[in-house]
Amino acid sequence: MKIISIRENPEWTQRAIAYFQKHWANPDSMMVYDDCIKSSLQAENPLPRWYLLTDEEEIIGCAGLITNDFISRMDLYPWLCALFIEEKHRGNAYGSLLIEKIKEDTAAAGFKNLYLCTDHNGYYEHYGFEHIAEGYHPWGDTSKIYRAQLV
């Protein structure tokens, strides 16, 4: 398994965009990932960052590190987002590889906490996250907000 940071490996940009779009976008949001991933390559700030998990040349997962995950708690950042592992590879804790890499990069950028919002129960607690609040999305849904303390 190998984790590829798109910022550090820009030759993976188009594959990353297509992969994130396939798993996270709808017809109205395709350009969100295109623009965000391309723009992150030239960013002066440490965020956003996008990652792929590969097995040889096959992409089997992804995740991002962003400033806000379309949630009301804009006072909290950075956010782990878009964590996805292909179904045939689930059950091997491969998501933890992406989570740990993102935690490392978050701490290296000087942040003390990493946040995420989700409707999943019981998954992220295994990786050091604790439920701290509820948040509200612009489209009317709510999500649980979790925090992992890094220092």
Side-chain angles (χ1 to χ4, degrees), residues 7-141:
R7 187 177 283 197
E8 295 165 8
N9 299 277
E11 67 275 14
W12 283 81
T13 300
Q14 286 308 124
R15 288 183 71 188
I17 291 167
Y19 192 82
F20 277 91
Q21 287 174 329
K22 176 182 176 184
H23 295 290
W24 291 105
N26 63 44
D28 295 328
S29 65
M30 297 292 273
M31 289 306 296
V32 170
Y33 291 100
D34 184 279
D35 188 42
C36 189
I37 292 171
K38 285 178 182 174
S39 298
S40 73
L41 300 175
Q42 313 305 322
E44 295 178 17
N45 297 312
L47 304 174
R49 297 183 68 98
W50 301 94
Y51 304 86
L52 296 173
L53 180 64
T54 63
D55 183 8
E56 301 296 329
E57 289 293 311
E58 178 189 7
I59 300 171
I60 64 167
C62 65
L65 177 61
I66 60 175
T67 57
N68 187 274
D69 200 6
F70 304 106
I71 194 132
S72 57
R73 292 299 304 273
M74 294 185 188
D75 59 312
L76 306 175
Y77 61 91
W79 295 78
L80 166 68
C81 74
L83 178 64
F84 180 83
I85 300 295
E86 294 288 342
E87 191 170 340
K88 69 180 182 178
H89 293 283
R90 293 179 188 167
N92 297 301
Y94 292 151
S96 69
L97 301 174
L98 287 161
I99 291 169
E100 289 307 313
K101 172 64 173 158
I102 289 173
K103 282 182 175 181
E104 289 171 16
D105 286 358
T106 301
F111 296 102
K112 296 179 180 172
N113 296 298
L114 175 63
Y115 300 91
L116 66 87
C117 59
T118 186
D119 294 326
H120 293 290
N121 292 313
Y123 178 78
Y124 292 100
E125 292 88 342
H126 294 289
Y127 303 109
F129 286 87
E130 63 176 332
H131 178 252
I132 61 165
E134 296 295 316
Y136 305 92
H137 296 287
W139 50 89
D141 291 344

